[in-house]
DNA sequence: CTTGACACTGAACATATGTTCTGATATCAT
DNA sequence: ATGATATCAGAACATATGTTCAGTGTCAAG
């Protein structure tokens, strides 16, 4: 009977991409004729036709008889935003965490200086706030890259990024980075203080815990908040 | 000699506030006449006059002979901040990935319907673009939550989130999700096709590879791009 | 008072721009 | 093939909208 309209044609996508680009560049939406020029679409009526479809699909809103009256609601990535308000929000949702060093077995773990209010944004990683446990103070966070296979029993691989939070003391059940005086190495374990002894539980459930009789021989360096693995070819 | 122009008159402020409000509401800038109506300024030329001053002061940019060609650069707070520009930029920096299901051992892994985008932003996770390998097409990405310990040999824990990319075929060295026909389970392994046989290499370097003689008994479900572990108390 | 810079009015003008209409062409299901 | 629908072209139209200009009023300094 009829052709059914499939999702987004190449031209829909081209228009959406141009909208993003133009608004990003100029700060206001393009006119229909400007869309024509930059998308190899020859007729204003055709662009209008596509814009109406994009509005039906919920990608944009249009003002009636309004010049450049296009409100971009969603981008191609599926993200949605209603102009300024949400822009501000989504800016707040993105926090930058300084990548201060590496974890290497046999060396103390780097910890940022107690008073590190400023950091180099270039050597940082960006995280959506929604990935973090509720209201973790962003300025108490730092990140480390794991070198070597020494953390394998914590399910942490070579190359992984560990996001840490500065804490003085661990609470039971938290995963912490711990410096073991006797073994002279840093390890990531779930921490429990029980009957005056420290039990360090590996994340890998097939492995057995370490019991440490004297709590003073261990040093809590930070609490693990997030582990990120950018999977590469191997 | 003459009256000197002091910083921001009440009318300047009123216009700036209206610009913010209007853009925030509608998603595109107001026309001069709309500014008239909402600021009790009676003449278009007067608004034009003020707009030119605001442009000189660096608060806005204007396009010449462009309807609604106002680009808001600074807000009243003085902070140079959100404009539609930043809205679009922040859209580009933060992408939303649909969380389409769980990985459970013994069940085929869910894969989003071939039919394109339209995501429900609520059931998605947000990722900073900088975390992803260069220009991965965002609309080819989806995320799964791992249930159970079945992926432990891939260094993936219970509760981890795996970000996948839809692929038909794996290339050597990529980590893929594979459905094993004979074992009836999904597994995450590095994939190699060598001499007509498939070698599946665990991420954990202490473990040995699986060799599969007949490539047809395995089914590539997707390529692993990112693994995220939100470390919880345990 | 005079002068001149600023604040403002109202209207006319030119055009940038959304809308609509007629018709052609293409693609698909039956 | 045939009808139905989607896609497309070009032009005409109405108007939304920025621009300009000739004045008027105001206030401070000389």
């Amino acid at each position: 009977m009829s052709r059914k309209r499939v999702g987004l044609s190449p031209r829909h996508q081209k228009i959406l991409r141009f909208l993003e680009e133009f608004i990003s560049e100029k700060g206001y939406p393009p006119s229909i004729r400007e869309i024509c020029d930059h998308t190899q679409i020859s007729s204003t009526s055709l662009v209008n036709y596509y814009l109406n479809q994009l509005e039906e699909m919920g990608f944009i809103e249009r003002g009636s008889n309004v010049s450049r009256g296009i409100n971009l609601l969603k981008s191609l990535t599926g993200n949605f935003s209603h102009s300024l308000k949400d822009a501000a929000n989504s800016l707040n949702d993105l926090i930058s965490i300084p990548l201060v060093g590496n974890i290497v077995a046999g060396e103390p773990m780097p910890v940022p200086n107690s008073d590190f209010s400023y950091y180099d944004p270039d050597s940082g990683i960006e995280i959506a706030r929604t990935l973090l446990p509720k209201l973790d103070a962003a300025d108490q966070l730092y990140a480390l890259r794991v070198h070597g296979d020494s953390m394998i029993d914590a399910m942490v691989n070579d190359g992984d990024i560990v996001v840490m939070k500065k804490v003085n003391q661990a609470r039971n059940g938290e995963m912490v980075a711990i410096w073991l005086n006797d073994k002279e190495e840093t390890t990531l374990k779930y921490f429990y203080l029980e009957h005056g002894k420290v039990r360090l539980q590996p994340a890998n459930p097939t492995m057995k815990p370490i019991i440490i009789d004297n709590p003073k021989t261990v040093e809590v360096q930070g609490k693990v908040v997030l582990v990120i693995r950018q999977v590469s070819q191997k």
Side-chain angles (χ1 to χ4, degrees), chain A residues 98 121 127 166:
Chain A
I127 305 278
K166 276 171 80 170

Side-chain angles (χ1 to χ4, degrees), chain A residues 41-55:
Chain A
I41 298 176
S42 53
S43 175
T44 60
S45 59
L46 190 50
V47 170
N48 186 59
Y49 173 69
Y50 283 127
L51 288 180
N52 285 332
Q53 292 177 353
L54 287 173
E55 183 170 24

Side-chain angles (χ1 to χ4, degrees), chain A residues 65-187:
Chain A
N65 293 314
V66 172
S67 304
R68 300 169 187 272
I70 299 176
N71 183 10
L72 189 56
L73 298 175
K74 296 192 280 191
S75 84
L76 276 175
T77 68
N79 235 322
F80 73 108
S81 148
H82 301 282
S83 54
L84 285 190
K85 241 179 288 178
D86 297 318
N89 286 340
S90 75
L91 282 181
N92 289 334
D93 285 349
L94 196 62
I95 67 181
S96 189
I97 297 177
L99 188 59
V100 298
N102 300 312
I103 303 181
V104 182
E107 291 180 15
M109 210 177 55
V111 173
N113 3 358
S114 55
D115 187 24
F116 73 109
S117 48
Y118 99 106
Y119 47 83
D120 180 12
D122 294 333
S123 70
I125 62 171
E126 291 180 319
I127 305 278
R129 237 222 155 82
T130 51
L131 286 182
L132 296 173
K134 49 179 180 181
L135 292 173
D136 258 342
D139 53 354
Q140 295 296 315
L141 298 177
Y142 59 99
L144 299 167
R145 190 177 289 277
V146 175
H147 275 192
D149 297 337
S150 59
M151 303 288 173
I152 267 191
D153 53 346
M155 308 279 291
V156 175
N157 210 348
D158 182 39
D160 286 5
I161 292 174
V162 192
V163 177
M164 313 276 311
K165 181 181 184 177
K166 276 171 80 170
V167 292
N168 310 328
Q169 216 169 355
R171 285 183 300 189
N172 274 5
E174 289 180 337
M175 181 178 252
V176 292
I178 290 201
W179 174 253
L180 302 174
N181 275 335
D182 50 351
K183 293 192 182 177
E184 289 210 329
E185 66 176 35
T186 305
T187 180

Side-chain angles (χ1 to χ4, degrees), chain A residues 19 21-31 34 68 70:
Chain A
L19 284 179
E21 181 195 325
F22 188 99
I23 293 174
S24 168
E25 177 82 14
K26 306 265 196 169
Y28 48 81
S31 71
E34 283 165 338
R68 300 169 187 272
I70 299 176

Side-chain angles (χ1 to χ4, degrees), chain A residues 205-224:
Chain A
T206 64
M207 308 190 87
K208 294 196 171 163
I210 302 175
I211 307 290
I212 291 167
D213 294 335
N214 182 4
K216 305 218 164 168
T217 64
V218 302
E219 197 175 316
V220 174
Q221 313 225 352
K223 167 185 164 188
V224 179

